[in-house]
Amino acid sequence: MTGGVSRKCSVILVGFMGAGKSSVGRAMAERLAWTFEDLDIRVERRELRTVAEIFGECGEAYFRRAECGALQELLEEVDGQDKIIALGGGAFAHEATRKLIESAKLETVFLDAGVDELWLRCTRQAEAQEIQRPMLGSRGDFAGLYETRRPEYLKASFRHETTGKAVDEIAAELIQLLRLKDEYC
Ligand code: S3P
C-alpha cells in the first residue's frame, strides 16, 4: 500500500504473544489522541471473567468463539472511528476472526519479532505476574506455535519489525508508516 490509511482510520495490531500489541497500541493512541481497545479486555468484560478463567473453565475452542463474537461487536461499533485495536495473539490466526477483519477492510499491522525475544518478554511478564497466558506453554511449544501462526500473521496489510525496539519507538514508526497524522485520515 502506498497511500497510507484512507478509508477508515481504525487500525488493528496483530502478532504473537509478547509482540507488544497492547503496549504499542496504547502508546499510538496516546500520541494520536485516539481511543485504544484491547480485544482480550472486551472478551473479559462480556464474559465477566478473565481470559485465564475462560481457558480453564471452558477451553480454547470456547475462547475462540467468545473472541470472535467480541470482535464482531467491536467492528459494528467502530465504523468511521479513530481507534487502535490490539488483538490477542491467536485471534488473527483463527480463520473466522480473520475473515471478519478482512470484511471490515481495516488496516492490519503484524508486529513481528524473533521468537527468542518474544519468549523473553513473555517469561519476564509471567515472572512479574503482569499477564497470565494460558497458551504460553514450554519454550518448545511456544516456538512451534509461533511457526504455525506466522504465515497467518503475514496476511496482515503490513509487517513491522520490533526486535530490540522500545514501545515508544515502535509507536512512532507505525504512525509514520501508516501516515496516521497526514491528510489521509
Ligand atoms: C493468546 C494470546 C493472549 C490471549 C489468550 C490467547 C494466544 O493475548 O488472547 O491468552 O492464543 O496466543 P496476548 O497475545 O495479548 O498475550
Side-chain angles (χ1 to χ4, degrees), residues 15-19 21-22 38 40 51-52 55 60 63-64 67 87-91 122 131-135 145 149 153:
F16 204 56
M17 291 173 272
K21 304 174 294 291
S22 302
D38 185 319
D40 278 340
V51 168
F55 269 82
E60 184 182 356
F63 175 77
R64 295 297 162 212
E67 186 176 50
L87 300 189
C122 287
I131 307 177
Q132 250 190 305
R133 290 189 166 98
M135 297 296 287
L145 189 60
R149 286 180 177 175
Y153 298 142

Side-chain angles (χ1 to χ4, degrees), residues 51-137:
V51 168
E53 284 166 351
I54 301 168
F55 269 82
E57 290 163 12
C58 298
E60 184 182 356
Y62 178 92
F63 175 77
R64 295 297 162 212
R65 286 196 296 277
E67 186 176 50
C68 195
L71 183 67
Q72 184 154 22
E73 178 187 79
L74 168 57
L75 293 175
E76 280 162 13
E77 292 170 14
V78 89
D79 196 28
Q81 288 180 23
D82 294 335
K83 233 186 224 294
I84 304 290
I85 300 163
L87 300 189
F92 202 66
H94 185 245
E95 199 181 354
T97 303
R98 195 179 53 256
K99 289 252 147 62
L100 261 183
I101 296 167
E102 284 165 2
S103 60
K105 303 209 181 323
L106 297 178
E107 298 300 340
T108 47
V109 185
F110 167 30
L111 298 186
D112 201 5
V115 74
D116 290 335
E117 180 155 332
L118 292 169
W119 175 251
L120 200 67
R121 291 178 193 167
C122 287
T123 48
R124 279 195 186 136
Q125 287 168 342
E127 276 161 26
Q129 296 188 334
E130 281 170 23
I131 307 177
Q132 250 190 305
R133 290 189 166 98
M135 297 296 287
L136 191 60

